[in-house]
Structures are given as structure tokens and as C-alpha cells.
Amino acid sequence: MTKDIRALEFFSGIGGLHFGFNASGAKGKVLESFDMNQQANDTYRLSFGKTAVSRGIDRLTVKDIEKYNANCWLMSPPCQPYTRGGKLLDDQDNRAKPLLHLLDQLEKMATPPTYIFLENVKNFETSRSRERMVRLLHKMGYVFRECLLAPHNFGVPNDRLRYFLIARSRSSFKEATPRSSTPAVDSAAQTFDPEKEIIYTTWPLPAFVEDPNISIRQYPFNIPVLRYFLDQEENETKDYLLSRQLILERPNFRFDILRPSSNRSSCFTKAYGSHHVASGGGLLQTLKMDQTEYDFGNSESIAELGLRFFTPTEVARLHAFPLKEERGSECALETDDTNEQGSNVDPRTLTTIRVYSPKLAQESNGPYLQFPAKLKALQRYKLLGNSLNVWVVAELLRGVLFADHPGNPLPIYRAEDMTASALEQASSTESIDTVKHGIEEQGESAPDGDAEVRPTRDKKRLKAE
Ligand SMILES: C[S@@+](CC[C@H](N)C(=O)[O-])C[C@H]1O[C@@H](n2cnc3c(N)ncnc32)[C@H](O)[C@@H]1O
């Protein structure tokens, strides 16, 4: 009988991992979530109708965890110990404790989870915490993949480069032999070198179990422009305009100015929307749309552009959270065109390749992300800035972690699904606003250099893309 996936969600926040789990199509459910932030937990309760356990994760015992009989751990621990620009205290930072504590519990468990998924910031890959984690996973017989990927790698116009670890117990592979850069435990325990592990930087990653009949091909796709992610009503956005005064006070201040026709946006941090105007995310130009060159020395001219923050709802869309959209047929997100040139992807490939399409992310019948009405915009930005991209999680779960879990939808990126006409169409639509992003060929012929990096502490070698 098929064993369902029974997941625990640690550091659940507003439930990005839970939404990602749902969007992955995994057969199973998230049994319990754990977080201590009251506002995040209120949001989680409203969205999922379930209350997260608000006890400190660093106080959970093996018994507390084992009672769920879970076979999957989803984790997105605090990133401050590893954030560039922070103090970089790594495992000496108190905020690293709950993760390290979980690793200690993992080692003691009679039946450790089959599946482990972890998200963190770029830079985690060079940390002592990561080294401790992969050494333990290797010792315990897990096979794992590590990568540094951003939503734009998956077709979402947002930059949020993150580290992901996807681990699966070696014993769970029945007849098939997992392909791993990690050698078998018994023969090479002493020779395992965390610094030699590959950190992939292109998508898709090589599957754990490779089918010799399937080769992953380069697949070109267009990234939808921001227009599809924007609120439609002026009254939804008017409160987010930057005051003229604020711009005039900042001559020579460089804002990242984005237009509805842009197919990129910068990472929205938890400081977005605050008085640190230019930190953590771009601003949207709403006036003088034929102006595409900006003279930052002339703040008068910048003040004419009608610059505004993206609203929390727009940020949530860019993070691919399912929302209860009530805008009817006028809603731009109802289109399945993924760019302004119209649909250029064979519809059959959407279920197999699953290049991001706003429609795919919005088709869910719930749960949806819902903030309690009492939460102000700044509080929402903060929660969203702490969160993650749901679509990236969904695809990493679907395409890698649960790839051959019985009963799950096929995650394979099949060459035969990429019809010649789809490829021809896709490759004939490049324009200024819709830059194509190819998926690199991986596997045996994985290119060196850009496709992967090593988790060395020598930062010069950490060129992800
Ligand atoms: C990077 S955020 C994860 C956000 C989450 N993935 C989401 O989608 O919103 C880290 C979370 O860990 C929580 N946290 C930090 N230390 C904790 C602890 N000791 N016990 C429980 N939760 C903790 C924080 O409240 C925060 O929500």
C-alpha cells in the first residue's frame, strides 16, 4: 500500500512550505507546524484553519517529534546567523540553536524521516551549521541534493536566491540505485568532504533515481511580466505611492525602478515598505511610461514618475502564494498567457514542465494566504519578507524530493513532452521584455562552471549565476 507523506513543518511562519507542499501535488499532508511568532501564527491559523505549535523548537524532545510518526521534515530556520551584512555568527548565534537542536534530535530518532527539505539564505552553504548538517545526513545514510536557486529559474519574475537542501534516506530507494555525488555510507564515511559536494545553480536538478530513457533537455521559456501580478484597482494601490517630499529629500538616491512590462523584480526583504525606501525590493513606475532612462541626480524628474511600493498582495503573488482572488473575469491572473506575446507553451507541457504560470498557482481551491485584518501593511511585508517562494518549494518537492514517491504526479521532465512545435514557438518569441531563460542540460553531461559551485568558504568561488 502506498505510504502517504506525513510532514512536519518547522519554522512555519505564514506557511510558505505548507503552501508549497500543497502545490507540489504530493500525496499526503502536513500534520503539524511549529513557530513562535504570534503574527505569523495568526496568519497561519486564518489561512489553514489550524494553529501552529507555538513552543520553542529548541525545546522539542525526540518524544515530542516521534509522536507524529512523520516521514518528512520541512524546515526554513532563521537566516540571520548566515546573512551577509549580518554578524555571521553562524552556529554561535542563538538563532541557529533551534536548527542545531533539531539535528541533535534527528540523530536520536528510532525512525528518522525519509524526506528532509530545508530552505535558507545564500551563504548558508558556506556555514559550519550546513557542514554539521550534511555530515550528519551522510552519516545517517541520506542521499541529498543542494542548490542555490531563485524564482526566476522557475519562471517567476522575482529574484530571491536561496539555498535548498533536499535529502532522502538511502534505504527508501528500493530496487533503484540513487544517483548521488555522495558515496555509499559504509565505504566512504571517513572520506566524505562537505566542501566537495556540488551546489547546483540550474534547474532542473538531476533526479535521485535516473531513468536512462529520459534525458533532461534545455527548455526555453518566457517569464511573465509584472503586469500580471499587479493589483487592478487604483484604490488598492494609492496608499503605496511614495510622497514627492520623500523623493526630493533623496537626491542621487538610486531606486530600483520597475515597470509593468519588466519581467524581473528584486528580492523583497522584511524591511520592504519601511522608511528605508530603497532597501529590499524595487519600486513600480506608474507615470510617464515612455521614460525608461532615469537621472537620479535630478530628483524632480524622479518624483514625476509616480513611484510606488508593490502592495503586500502583489508581493504575495510574486512569492506565488495562492490568494483568494475575487476580481472575476477581468482579473489579469486568469490569463494563461505567460507573456505579452501570448501563449507560447504547448499546454501539455504545463503539467510536465510546470514552468510557472500565474494561472497554475491561482487554480488552487484553497487554502489561501489570508492575513488577519488587524495586520498593517508593514507587518505583512515583514512576514512575506521572512517567507519564501511557494512555487520554488513546490517544484523542488515535486521534481526532486518526492520524485518517485508512489502515487505522486509524475515529476519527470520528459524529452518527448517537448514537442518540436512547442520548442519552435518558444524560441521564436524573444523580445526586450520577455527574456528567455533556458533550463540547462544536467545529469551525466552537466556543464561545469556556472551550473554548479562547491560549498567552499572561499567566497570568490561562490559564483552562483
Ligand atoms: C525564515 S522564517 C520562516 C518563514 C516561513 N517559511 C514562512 O513561509 O513564513 C523563520 C521562522 O522561524 C521562527 N522561529 C525562530 N526561532 C524559533 C524557535 N526557537 N522556535 C520556533 N520558531 C522559531 C520565526 O518566528 C520565523 O517565523
Side-chain angles (χ1 to χ4, degrees):
M1 209 178 71
T2 306
K3 216 174 166 195
D4 280 2
I5 293 160
R6 297 168 52 81
L8 295 179
E9 183 187 19
F10 296 107
F11 314 98
S12 48
I14 56 173
L17 290 169
H18 194 160
F19 284 118
F21 182 90
N22 292 353
S24 76
K27 193 170 178 295
K29 64 178 181 177
V30 175
L31 305 169
E32 193 72 274
S33 54
F34 303 84
D35 203 292
M36 287 199 324
N37 179 309
Q38 193 53 48
Q39 292 176 350
N41 286 351
D42 289 347
T43 308
Y44 194 98
R45 186 169 52 249
L46 193 61
S47 304
F48 294 99
K50 278 183 67 175
T51 309
V53 175
S54 62
R55 195 165 144 210
I57 288 171
D58 38 332
R59 301 174 64 170
L60 293 175
T61 63
V62 171
K63 203 168 152 211
D64 293 330
I65 301 171
E66 281 189 330
K67 75 173 186 213
Y68 295 102
N69 192 22
N71 57 10
C72 173
W73 284 14
L74 307 171
M75 301 186 269
S76 48
C79 54
Q80 295 92 337
Y82 321 103
T83 311
R84 282 168 300 168
K87 290 191 182 150
L88 289 176
L89 291 179
D90 195 339
D91 53 359
Q92 300 306 304
D93 191 315
N94 271 342
R95 291 164 293 192
K97 273 194 183 151
L99 169 64
L100 302 176
H101 175 80
L102 276 182
L103 295 178
D104 289 344
Q105 307 317 299
L106 180 70
E107 195 172 7
K108 293 185 208 149
M109 287 180 72
T111 318
T114 305
Y115 304 104
I116 296 178
F117 182 88
L118 176 137
E119 182 257 10
N120 213 280
V121 284
K122 168 160 169 51
N123 216 34
F124 183 81
E125 74 281 2
T126 63
S127 68
R128 290 184 297 271
S129 302
R130 174 258 173 196
E131 183 176 335
R132 188 157 147 193
M133 179 175 67
V134 295
R135 278 194 189 283
L136 175 67
L137 293 178
H138 177 75
K139 192 175 93 181
M140 292 181 70
Y142 283 90
V143 181
F144 54 87
R145 292 266 180 273
E146 293 172 278
C147 56
L148 278 168
L149 290 168
H152 62 73
N153 294 110
F154 297 78
V156 184
N158 184 236
D159 186 18
R160 191 179 181 84
L161 187 63
R162 287 292 181 268
Y163 167 90
F164 298 94
L165 173 125
I166 302 144
R168 167 105 182 250
S169 72
R170 190 177 284 274
S171 59
S172 69
F173 295 95
K174 299 206 168 55
E175 286 103 54
T177 314
R179 180 186 169 281
S180 169
S181 50
T182 313
V185 211
D186 50 358
S187 62
Q190 296 89 340
T191 59
F192 174 68
D193 182 353
E195 291 217 355
K196 293 224 166 88
E197 289 297 299
I198 295 169
I199 312 279
Y200 293 93
T201 59
T202 53
W203 172 250
L205 313 185
F208 280 130
V209 180
E210 282 188 288
D211 180 334
N213 298 317
I214 292 171
S215 63
I216 295 170
R217 290 269 184 84
Q218 170 133 353
Y219 188 81
F221 59 90
N222 288 344
I223 293 187
V225 294
L226 295 178
R227 181 161 63 79
Y228 291 115
F229 298 80
L230 301 180
D231 290 337
Q232 304 297 298
E233 306 296 335
E234 214 169 286
N235 62 4
E236 290 171 317
T237 60
K238 65 177 179 354
D239 293 344
Y240 297 87
L241 282 167
L242 258 70
S243 76
R244 198 179 156 72
Q245 180 67 13
L246 206 140
I247 296 171
L248 295 182
E249 277 168 5
R250 290 169 169 74
N252 285 318
F253 211 70
R254 292 189 162 265
F255 305 101
D256 182 19
I257 298 179
L258 297 156
R259 298 151 52 77
S261 58
S262 311
N263 67 351
R264 62 164 201 92
S265 59
S266 33
C267 179
F268 297 99
T269 70
K270 60 184 178 183
Y272 190 65
S274 69
H275 58 279
H276 306 293
V277 181
S279 76
L283 298 170
L284 191 75
Q285 177 178 350
T286 64
L287 296 174
K288 301 214 158 184
M289 300 311 284
D290 45 358
Q291 188 175 334
T292 55
E293 309 254 313
Y294 310 108
D295 176 3
F296 290 96
N298 178 355
S299 42
E300 281 286 347
S301 72
I302 300 294
E304 304 285 289
L305 297 172
L307 296 180
R308 72 161 173 86
F309 290 108
F310 287 78
T311 69
T313 309
E314 290 167 344
V315 176
R317 282 192 201 107
L318 283 163
H319 285 187
F321 275 89
L323 301 173
K324 200 166 189 176
E325 302 280 359
E326 290 170 349
R327 288 177 292 160
S329 57
E330 294 304 307
C331 171
L333 291 169
E334 288 206 352
T335 178
D336 60 2
D337 294 353
T338 54
N339 57 63
E340 288 181 325
Q341 277 66 49
S343 177
N344 64 355
V345 178
D346 182 329
R348 282 173 300 160
T349 63
L350 287 177
T351 56
T352 51
I353 298 293
R354 295 230 317 181
V355 169
Y356 175 75
S357 124
K359 189 174 181 206
L360 271 179
Q362 295 297 323
E363 263 180 351
S364 151
N365 295 320
Y368 305 101
L369 176 68
Q370 294 180 73
F371 287 111
K374 65 176 183 198
L375 287 194
K376 305 239 165 32
L378 280 184
Q379 295 167 317
R380 295 177 189 208
Y381 285 132
K382 194 166 177 193
L383 292 171
L384 286 162
N386 260 335
S387 186
L388 38 74
N389 189 288
V390 169
W391 188 256
V392 174
V393 172
E395 286 307 89
L396 289 173
L397 295 182
R398 185 178 99 103
V400 190
L401 189 61
F402 304 142
D404 65 341
H405 187 87
N408 277 356
L410 255 192
I412 311 283
Y413 298 83
R414 284 176 188 281
E416 62 265 30
D417 289 325
M418 299 174 198
T419 61
S421 66
L423 282 174
E424 268 163 34
Q425 276 182 25
S427 59
S428 64
T429 53
E430 195 165 15
S431 78
I432 293 165
D433 277 332
T434 52
V435 181
K436 287 201 303 277
H437 288 247
I439 291 173
E440 299 291 302
E441 190 156 346
Q442 293 269 329
E444 295 307 327
S445 56
D448 291 323
D450 276 356
E452 52 195 55
V453 294
R454 308 275 171 181
T456 167
R457 285 172 180 269
D458 176 359
K459 301 231 168 64
K460 284 191 194 124
R461 290 183 58 199
L462 272 170
K463 278 211 283 154
E465 282 177 304

